[in-house]
Amino acid sequence: MKTDILGIQFDNLTREEAKEAGAALLRSPEFHYAVTPNPEFILAADKDLEFQKILNQADLVLPDGIGVVYSAKILGTPLKGRVAGFDFACDMLDVLNEMGGRLYLLGAKPGVAEEAGRRILESHPNIVLCGTHDGYFKDSDPVAREVAQAQPDLLFVCLGAPKQERWMAQYGPETGVKLAVGLGGSLDVFAGTVERAPEAWRKAGMEWLYR
């Protein structure tokens, strides 16, 4: 069920429901992509209708930002809650680990994706890390071909918005991946180069302030 928040069609799901929906996408043969808009996304999409269209065409649109949840409540169309992109990524890694699936990490500074992958495998030993690439590239075509050759099931695209969403929409289908997720700076958190806000801050909806 979709909920319109200032022009963006959000999936009104709990975190557990989002995990189930993502798992279904991961187990299907076609390409899918998920986006995690926060208030900055909404403001940008209001001025960039192409970006808005890309967000609304995603297979999953999850509210990453307590501001989105508050806005929904004020507008009289409340959401079940926030589903942070990082939490969704962790849930997808758990599903992929159960599947024994293949993971590709795209984005961040040189070396970050590799370290993120190493740490992910420590806690998810059944995942196959089939490739990494930093986010400092100008030509997307060879990167998309490299991803396709690696044959991943799950692709984390961490290029920042709106670049990562545009990249998934344009190049995702040719990668052959089952699920691509736009995740901003999440690879830095997985790699340990950036500390995530403590749980108390996250529960209070103040993760943005901690960052």
Side-chain angles (χ1 to χ4, degrees), residues 30-99:
E30 298 86 12
F31 167 73
H32 308 275
Y33 70 98
V35 296
T36 57
N38 59 29
E40 288 76 17
F41 283 55
I42 295 175
L43 291 174
D46 186 56
K47 300 176 182 178
D48 185 343
L49 294 183
E50 181 188 2
F51 181 40
Q52 184 183 90
K53 181 179 179 181
I54 288 171
L55 292 176
N56 286 332
Q57 287 180 337
D59 297 274
L60 274 177
V61 184
L62 304 174
D64 184 356
I66 197 65
V68 177
V69 177
Y70 287 159
S71 296
K73 187 176 182 179
I74 291 170
L75 291 169
T77 53
L79 295 167
K80 293 179 180 179
R82 175 184 178 223
V83 183
F86 187 82
D87 290 335
F88 180 68
C90 291
D91 290 341
M92 291 303 93
L93 290 174
D94 289 343
V95 173
L96 193 69
N97 191 61
E98 293 172 5
M99 294 170 54

